[in-house]
Amino acid sequence: MPTYAAPTKDMAFVLHDLLGIEKSNVPGYDDLTPDFTSAILEEAAKIHQDVIAPLNVVGDKEGCKLENGVVRTPTGFKDAFDQFREGGWTGIACEEEFGGQGLPYLMGTTIGEMTSAANQAFAMYGGLTNGAYASILAHGSQAQKETYLPNMASCKWTGTMNLTEPHCGTDLGMMRTKAEPQADGSYKISGQKIFISAGEHDMSDNIIHLVLAKIVGGPEGIKGVSLFIVPKFMVNEDGSEGARNGVSCGAIEEKMGIHGNSTCVMNYDEATGYLLGDEHKGMRAMFTMMNHARLGVGLQGLAQAEAAYQNAVVYAKDRLQGRAVTGAENPDGPADPIIVHPDVRRSLMDQKSFIEGARAFVYWGAMMIDQAHGLEDKDADGMISLLTPVIKGFLTDQGYDMTVQAQQLYGGHGYIEEWGMSQFTRDARIAMIYEGANGVQALDLVGRKLAQDGGKHVMAFFEMVKSFISENKDNEALVDFIEPLKAASKDLQAAGMFFMQNGMKDPNAALSGSNDFMHMFGHVCLGLMWARMAKAATSALDAGTDDPEFYQNKLVTGRYYMARQLPATGMHLARIQSGADTVMGLSAEAF
């Protein structure tokens, strides 16, 4: 059975050597000393390794069961969730006034990585709750915050997001779920939602659904969509749970992966709901949750790759097959371990260099969220808005590919369920689809985010890369990082120029290259992270360290990414510059 060990040393490297969080002026960061964060990470590692990870295969094999309207989660999930909740892990980044730990979003991200890597299906129950919490915190009235947030911070009550309908996915203006105003200010919500993760389960006392619906008589299309709080059980004035609301689970979806999470068809039969935010402004409030979720889903791509990679390394060192071409390295055995073979090393280096670069990228993004909120930094807010589709789309595409590579190293055993490697691939697959399919992320990046605020944020990104290159161009220790980063950044700028020159007169020319641009952007972001990590590792070695091997390995891994992965930007640029003719050349009837 696969195992998981939290990569706390690498997490600490990103937090302190790379990001230097304890030196930051972000509120709350001055408390994040190496000793403090180490204590948190090591304690979190215990429950993830010992309690949550062993349930991953249990959830995959058992799945969830719908019995008389109640969803039963897999064996052990409820007990583990109770332990997770009692340890305060669910509310680690929630506000202290609502019972949370009050730590920065960045620390919540480190714990979120562990949970998703240990058991992605399990992680979704608390992760969705945190997203719903964030929406109510940002858009709710004071009474709504006081009513719901304390129990949601503790996950005594969990949360969901209800967008998709049977006939309506990305185009939410087509939704049919309706909301009828009532004399007391509430609404009666009627309709059906599908693909609702954690929509019904037995691990919390109440479930707080955030539901998109159209108020009767409101504007047509997306302009008429509002967001409502619809609790599974009504909440009495004293805060206790009251009568059952008119919301129920009609079925559990049978899925390719994440079997341990209850993905439900939810029926709303004149359920009582309360407007969250303003009338007909539901997408504004829902996007608070969706953007929170998209960063979390990008984290899932990294996390599944990490878990799969750890097990692939163990197998590659144990599995005996063939001899090293340079001579036997296990002469007393019948064969050498497969890790001696160059193509196996290539695969493991693909995985390792992606994972460590992606971790730095996601944590940097989380730090920008803390900057935006804690310092009211509009530049940081604009930058993370630009990079959100890249984090979600690129990291989940690549993360899935890495789980496939890890599975491939097992050969036929990777295809056999008893070895457990297929679960990482199956679980990772959904991350490319939900919270906005990756094709939509690419369209959002090219169609909206590049031009946001007059292109201010993408230009700031280019300037950031340019400044780093300029500041370090004479550093001989970084030559293997600076030159590839410079070339990749030029490719990215050339692609942006192509869109500017061709996008208005031929929109298809830009949109045909959107997926390539998202991947190109992702590679440049990881290239920047690797260049920064190389500088941090070099500084640590120069200053003297009790673990020089860790920092030397960091440099070797980074050089691999710069030499073997970052040049993909040239391929993506060539595709983009080929325009739309090859993509749109066939008529619809010709397919």
Side-chain angles (χ1 to χ4, degrees):
M1 185 175 74
T3 59
Y4 169 70
T8 55
K9 187 171 183 63
D10 199 60
M11 290 176 168
F13 168 80
V14 175
L15 293 176
H16 300 290
D17 294 68
L18 176 65
L19 299 178
I21 55 174
E22 68 274 24
K23 303 168 189 172
S24 169
N25 65 341
V26 177
Y29 274 34
D30 55 348
D31 293 329
L32 301 182
T33 64
D35 286 345
F36 182 72
T37 60
S38 176
I40 293 174
L41 295 178
E42 294 301 329
E43 194 63 31
K46 294 176 185 177
I47 189 170
H48 286 93
Q49 293 165 180
D50 300 339
V51 178
I52 298 172
L55 296 175
N56 197 35
V57 68
V58 176
D60 188 53
K61 293 184 181 301
E62 288 188 14
C64 296
K65 297 178 176 62
L66 178 62
E67 300 174 350
N68 299 318
V70 177
V71 172
R72 304 297 181 190
T73 50
T75 302
F77 267 50
K78 189 177 188 305
D79 287 343
F81 198 67
D82 287 343
Q83 291 183 54
F84 196 62
R85 181 170 52 225
E86 289 162 6
W89 301 112
T90 59
I92 192 164
C94 294
E95 283 62 25
E96 290 182 277
E97 67 176 297
F98 299 119
Q101 302 294 318
L103 292 176
Y105 181 83
L106 174 57
M107 291 309 299
T109 300
T110 64
I111 305 306
E113 181 194 334
M114 289 190 201
T115 316
S116 289
N119 191 327
Q120 182 170 315
F122 179 92
M124 292 168 65
Y125 293 97
L128 286 161
T129 304
N130 287 337
Y133 173 101
S135 285
I136 297 173
L137 179 68
H139 302 283
S141 65
Q142 188 60 35
Q144 288 174 334
K145 294 175 187 178
E146 292 173 358
T147 298
Y148 300 106
L149 295 188
N151 284 327
M152 295 178 75
S154 68
C155 272
K156 180 182 180 183
W157 298 351
T158 55
T160 71
M161 56 192 300
N162 286 236
L163 290 78
T164 307
E165 299 182 9
H167 56 282
C168 165
T170 300
D171 189 354
L172 294 172
M174 295 174 60
M175 71 174 56
R176 297 172 184 164
T177 300
K178 64 180 182 179
E180 298 188 35
Q182 304 298 299
D184 63 358
S186 67
Y187 293 78
K188 292 297 184 184
I189 311 297
S190 297
Q192 185 180 78
K193 300 289 184 176
I194 62 172
F195 306 158
I196 308 306
S197 300
E200 170 62 35
H201 59 85
D202 58 359
M203 300 199 301
S204 63
D205 294 345
N206 203 354
I207 301 175
I208 310 304
H209 302 285
L210 298 192
V211 184
L212 285 179
K214 290 182 176 179
I215 297 174
V216 175
E220 292 297 318
I222 198 69
K223 293 181 180 179
V225 172
S226 301
L227 185 63
F228 299 89
I229 299 173
V230 185
K232 173 182 172 179
F233 291 100
M234 301 300 293
V235 181
N236 298 320
E237 289 189 10
D238 63 0
S240 62
E241 290 99 21
R244 179 70 185 256
N245 204 355
V247 53
S248 61
C249 173
I252 298 178
E253 307 284 5
E254 295 187 16
K255 310 183 297 291
M256 174 180 175
I258 55 168
H259 297 152
N261 192 268
S262 52
T263 307
C264 300
V265 174
M266 300 301 297
N267 296 319
Y268 293 87
D269 300 305
E270 295 193 340
T272 298
Y274 305 95
L275 184 67
L276 178 59
D278 299 326
E279 281 190 4
H280 316 313
K281 302 295 183 183
M283 292 310 298
R284 179 188 302 167
M286 182 55 84
F287 266 117
T288 298
M289 185 170 187
M290 289 182 69
N291 286 331
H292 183 285
R294 284 171 178 171
L295 292 169
V297 172
L299 192 65
Q300 289 176 357
L302 154 65
Q304 290 304 293
E306 169 69 48
Y309 164 75
Q310 288 187 14
N311 289 279
V313 168
V314 172
Y315 187 81
K317 291 179 177 179
D318 289 345
R319 172 68 169 172
L320 303 181
Q321 191 79 37
R323 290 293 187 188
V325 294
T326 53
E329 295 195 16
N330 179 35
D332 295 330
D336 290 334
I338 62 172
I339 199 167
V340 305
H341 303 306
D343 194 59
V344 171
R345 289 291 183 90
R346 173 203 58 77
S347 176
L348 290 174
M349 288 298 287
D350 279 353
Q351 296 168 57
K352 180 176 174 63
S353 64
F354 164 75
I355 290 163
E356 293 179 14
R359 177 171 296 117
F361 185 25
V362 175
Y363 288 15
W364 176 49
M367 186 174 183
M368 280 189 275
I369 290 176
D370 285 329
Q371 290 174 317
H373 291 172
L375 299 173
E376 297 184 356
D377 186 336
K378 292 184 178 179
D379 290 336
D381 189 54
M383 183 64 72
I384 192 57
S385 177
L386 168 70
L387 296 178
T388 292
V390 183
I391 291 172
K392 195 281 183 186
F394 177 71
L395 295 191
T396 58
D397 277 352
Q398 293 291 107
Y400 174 78
D401 286 347
M402 295 306 141
T403 66
V404 172
Q405 289 210 44
Q407 183 187 25
Q408 182 74 13
L409 286 180
Y410 280 66
H413 294 300
Y415 200 67
I416 302 299
E417 289 297 333
E418 70 176 279
W419 288 82
M421 292 304 290
S422 79
Q423 184 183 354
F424 299 122
T425 300
R426 289 184 285 103
D427 286 357
R429 186 66 184 87
I430 186 57
M432 303 160 71
I433 299 172
Y434 59 15
E435 307 307 339
N438 285 357
V440 175
Q441 301 301 320
L443 294 178
D444 178 48
L445 175 63
V446 171
R448 293 181 60 248
K449 297 300 176 63
L450 291 184
Q452 190 172 352
D453 295 331
K456 172 184 177 181
H457 307 299
V458 72
M459 295 308 296
F461 178 83
F462 288 137
E463 185 59 35
M464 182 190 309
V465 177
K466 181 180 177 181
S467 295
F468 182 87
I469 292 171
S470 177
E471 292 166 6
N472 297 280
K473 66 180 185 299
D474 297 325
N475 188 336
E476 293 184 6
L478 297 183
V479 66
D480 294 338
F481 295 85
I482 296 300
E483 292 305 315
L485 179 60
K486 183 189 298 184
S489 179
K490 287 182 177 179
D491 287 342
L492 186 63
Q493 292 178 66
M497 185 62 67
F498 177 85
F499 292 153
M500 288 179 62
Q501 293 172 344
N502 297 276
M504 292 298 291
K505 61 184 179 182
D506 183 8
N508 282 338
L511 299 185
S512 294
S514 60
N515 187 269
D516 283 288
F517 188 79
M518 179 179 73
H519 278 255
M520 179 188 287
F521 210 147
H523 278 299
V524 173
C525 288
L526 262 63
L528 176 61
M529 293 299 101
W530 270 116
R532 288 177 170 176
M533 287 192 286
K535 184 175 182 178
T538 300
S539 296
L541 288 168
D542 290 344
T545 171
D546 58 0
D547 192 2
E549 184 178 7
F550 173 85
Y551 294 101
Q552 290 163 354
N553 289 343
K554 185 66 69 175
L555 290 169
V556 172
T557 305
R559 290 191 185 100
Y560 179 91
Y561 192 88
M562 305 307 276
R564 300 279 302 214
Q565 294 296 318
L566 195 54
T569 58
M571 174 192 68
H572 290 301
L573 177 61
R575 290 174 174 175
I576 289 169
Q577 292 178 334
S578 73
D581 290 347
T582 54
V583 174
M584 305 300 290
L586 287 178
S587 66
E589 292 73 22
F591 286 92

